[in-house]
Amino acid sequence: MKLTRRMTLAALAGMLALGTAAPAYAADLIAIITPSHDNPFFKAEAVGAEAKAKELGYEALVLVHDDDANKQSELIDTAIGRGAKAIILDNAGADATVAAVQKAKDAGVPSFLIDREINATGVAVAQIVSNNYQGAQLGAQEFVKLMGEKGNFVELVGKESDTNAGIRSKGYHDVIDDYPDLKMVAQQSANWSQTEAYAKMESILQANPDIKGVISGNDTMAMGAYAALVAANRKDVIVVGFDGSNDVRDSITAGGIKATVLQPAYAQAQMAVEQANDFIKNKKSPAKEKQLMDCVLVNGDNAPKLETFALTN
């Protein structure tokens, strides 16, 4: 009896040891990979996706690639290794991301992209992005009106490897360039960064003290530019952003930045998780891989209704 009992305990101990040593795989895991949460837009994406994943009964693995394509590739390896059922991804470059998403597909892990497109089709299951061109045109139309259709202005452009930066800039210029009395005296990339936008704005202002307006590729850069203008006692300069962040909402309601364009980050991320869930459970792909969500102008009229990249009723 004693020998049998000792053998049973030894076998149980061995099983427990094997269980401890084995990697922890989640039966129903969704990986959520975005740029840094220092930017409230990307944080809202992660929060929205995680909330929807948990609501649908999944475990969420939230990761940050910091706009580093190599780190992104490593994180996709992590998601594959952890047995993720799907990846929700705001990517680190339209070209640099294609191979990483293909790698996930080859491993049987479908990817659902949000916010930023990649330069390939048929690799991701879905690419859900804001209608950046339509949104930029809304922002530009408001900018033209605020500027009174004339004056020198500056454009701050986002990260050059990001497709959205170019699309927004084109949307701005397809409107603004129709007004010959609006003259762009400087156009610089601040890489979506508030700190970089502050520094760039300081230099631009020294070289162009007569500017009347700044149109920015995102709210984070708009906040940096506005802070530099305030430091230079130039609150008279009109600033328009793009994203619909709470920080810019507060600035608008306080009479600072004049307008922004809301892209629904939270809803977009949740839609991606819903589509991932449908694919995982029913093998159902969305009707279209590339899906556009329209943007909304936010100014002094509706800014108080803005909360976490969504307009409340």
Side-chain angles (χ1 to χ4, degrees):
M1 279 299 276
K2 288 183 179 179
L3 179 61
T4 303
R5 185 168 178 270
R6 280 200 298 269
M7 289 175 66
T8 302
L9 288 172
L12 180 60
M15 289 172 65
L16 288 172
L18 285 171
T20 304
Y25 290 102
D28 295 292
L29 176 71
I30 288 180
I32 300 158
I33 308 173
T34 70
S36 172
H37 295 180
D38 289 346
N39 185 320
F41 181 85
F42 301 130
K43 183 176 181 180
E45 287 181 333
V47 170
E50 183 178 17
K52 180 57 68 173
K54 289 181 176 178
E55 178 189 321
L56 293 172
Y58 295 91
E59 180 184 341
L61 176 65
V62 180
L63 303 167
V64 171
H65 59 56
D66 293 319
D67 275 317
D68 181 332
N70 291 327
K71 184 176 180 182
Q72 174 181 257
S73 183
E74 292 170 1
L75 295 179
I76 286 176
D77 285 339
T78 297
I80 294 169
R82 288 282 301 274
K85 300 295 185 182
I87 295 170
I88 309 298
L89 175 66
D90 191 337
N91 72 75
D95 291 315
T97 299
V98 176
V101 174
Q102 182 68 56
K103 175 172 58 177
K105 181 181 180 181
D106 293 343
V109 183
S111 296
F112 296 78
L113 274 55
I114 53 175
D115 179 42
R116 302 170 176 175
E117 300 177 58
I118 56 172
N119 291 332
T121 56
V123 183
V125 176
Q127 299 192 53
I128 307 169
V129 299
S130 299
N131 192 338
N132 284 278
Y133 183 79
Q134 170 261 351
Q137 289 198 307
L138 287 179
Q141 289 161 5
E142 183 74 357
F143 185 70
V144 167
K145 185 172 74 172
L146 290 164
M147 292 282 289
E149 301 183 7
K150 62 183 179 181
N152 293 344
F153 74 95
V154 171
E155 181 187 7
L156 292 178
V157 184
K159 195 176 183 70
E160 291 178 359
S161 64
D162 187 338
T163 305
N164 290 345
I167 293 173
R168 291 176 195 175
S169 184
K170 179 171 172 33
Y172 287 157
H173 284 279
D174 282 353
V175 172
I176 296 171
D177 292 354
D178 286 340
Y179 296 86
D181 292 332
L182 280 168
K183 297 179 181 178
M184 185 173 68
V185 295
Q187 181 188 52
Q188 293 191 28
S189 170
N191 293 304
W192 306 128
S193 164
Q194 185 166 335
T195 304
E196 196 168 335
Y198 185 99
K200 292 284 177 75
M201 194 70 243
E202 279 189 317
S203 298
I204 291 169
L205 194 56
Q206 288 173 4
N208 303 277
D210 60 344
I211 62 167
K212 185 180 174 183
V214 178
I215 192 161
S216 173
N218 79 342
D219 280 354
T220 308
M221 294 188 300
M223 290 292 291
Y226 186 70
L229 290 164
V230 170
N233 198 28
R234 289 297 309 276
K235 292 183 181 181
D236 58 301
V237 176
I238 292 158
V239 179
V240 170
F242 194 116
D243 275 345
S245 70
N246 285 359
D247 287 339
V248 166
R249 171 204 64 195
D250 294 343
S251 182
I252 291 171
T253 56
I257 292 173
K258 299 305 179 190
T260 185
V261 175
L262 167 65
Q263 52 171 340
Y266 193 91
Q268 202 173 86
Q270 294 212 317
M271 180 186 293
V273 174
E274 287 168 351
Q275 291 186 9
N277 178 59
D278 208 15
F279 187 86
I280 292 163
K281 292 181 177 174
N282 306 313
K283 297 299 178 188
K284 183 179 177 183
S285 299
K288 292 182 179 180
E289 177 185 332
K290 291 195 175 182
Q291 304 162 57
L292 293 178
M293 295 181 73
D294 279 348
C295 301
V296 179
L297 179 71
V298 175
N299 56 22
D301 295 334
N302 60 353
K305 297 180 180 180
L306 180 61
E307 178 56 50
T308 315
F309 300 96
L311 286 172
T312 59
N313 294 324

